[in-house]
Amino acid sequence: MEPVIDARALTHEYPDGTTALRDVTLSIGRGERIAVVGANGSGKSTLQLALGGLVEPSAGTVRYFDQTTDADRVRDRLGVLLQDPDDYLFNTTVREDIEYGPAQLGMSRRAADERIARLAAHLGLRDLLDRPPFRLSGGEKQRAAVASVLAFDPDVLLLDEPFGAVDAHYRERVRELVTDHEGTVVVFTPSLDLAAELAERVVVVGESGSIAADGPAREILTDSDLLRANGLRPPAAVQLFEGILDGDEIPLTVAAARRHLVDELG
Ligand SMILES: Nc1ncnc2c1ncn2[C@@H]1O[C@H](COP(=O)(O)OP(=O)(O)OP(=O)(O)O)[C@@H](O)[C@H]1O
Ligand SMILES: [Mg+2]
């Protein structure tokens, strides 16, 4: 599979001496759905910033689309959603924030307007478009930030905790957008339930930003010992069924667990 991002031996130390990445080698293939999971402070956001070219790692290289190591040359193909939406929304109105990417990339006005209207409707932002972003609630800001990243239709989405403050209704809406995205998706999250819903491959970031495991979602998400050793817990459905069903039959999501129960009981 052609790598869209190929990271080799990334190490990152912040100026105060904190090591946040340790010898991370990670190749992301076109079209892959990956969840990068790890405990708080393990290094997920630092890895996202390094892969997105927003932090220069102390050592190692990141290569994009087999072409370049300069992220700025492929900026229009990378959708980097930062963990804190306040780092994202800096224009006078929500509309300007969402229009910013398409305008920078020279998308036609009409194409941009159509895309923005669709995203705003889907994410419940229509009535908020003319408001200043700092007047939004936490979940509204997060939805606006998601819209501003998706607005320019990047090939690769690098999304740091896109659901943190989002309620159940809009969580589903954001999930649909991410699932329907035709390119590559990498979600960075401490939520194994989210990983179970979105990912076919799971990367576990262990202590001090080293990769503790990288493999098919089912294999990683049903490995309680591995997850617990890295400060995590399996998804709720796995906790419910582990020790009751065989590893390859354990449902990974609540929806799959429900289907299993309905089949068994019905
Ligand atoms: N700007 C910074 N300066 C110094 N240390 C930092 C900085 N940002 C993060 N760190 C430290 O680097 C380590 C990794 O942080 P990072 O934000 O990448 O973790 P994370 O896995 O994203 O955590 P969370 O789940 O809480 O978002 C932590 O020890 C953190 O305290
Ligand atoms: Mg983080």
Side-chain angles (χ1 to χ4, degrees), residues 54-161:
L54 299 175
V55 149
E56 179 159 4
S58 323
T61 55
V62 184
R63 195 169 171 78
Y64 301 93
F65 306 104
D66 238 350
Q67 283 172 12
T68 178
T69 53
D70 181 358
D72 288 334
R73 292 179 54 189
V74 291
R75 191 54 64 212
D76 56 333
R77 301 176 70 183
L78 302 176
V80 184
L81 177 71
L82 303 175
Q83 182 162 15
D84 182 352
D86 283 331
D87 290 339
Y88 224 93
L89 307 165
F90 50 85
N91 284 291
T92 328
T93 64
V94 172
R95 185 192 306 278
E96 285 167 51
D97 273 320
I98 301 177
E99 283 174 346
Y100 183 82
Q104 287 284 306
L105 299 174
M107 195 186 272
S108 81
R109 183 79 215 185
R110 204 162 133 208
D113 283 350
E114 271 177 26
R115 216 178 145 72
I116 291 163
R118 212 157 12 96
L119 281 168
H122 198 75
L123 293 172
L125 296 168
R126 274 196 296 214
D127 295 337
L128 304 174
L129 287 174
D130 296 314
R131 299 251 295 270
F134 64 87
R135 294 261 162 78
L136 301 184
S137 75
E140 289 167 347
K141 276 185 201 166
Q142 210 161 22
R143 279 148 47 199
V146 167
S148 66
V149 168
L150 288 171
F152 64 97
D153 197 17
D155 290 337
V156 181
L157 296 179
L158 301 174
L159 308 175
D160 197 354
E161 197 39 80

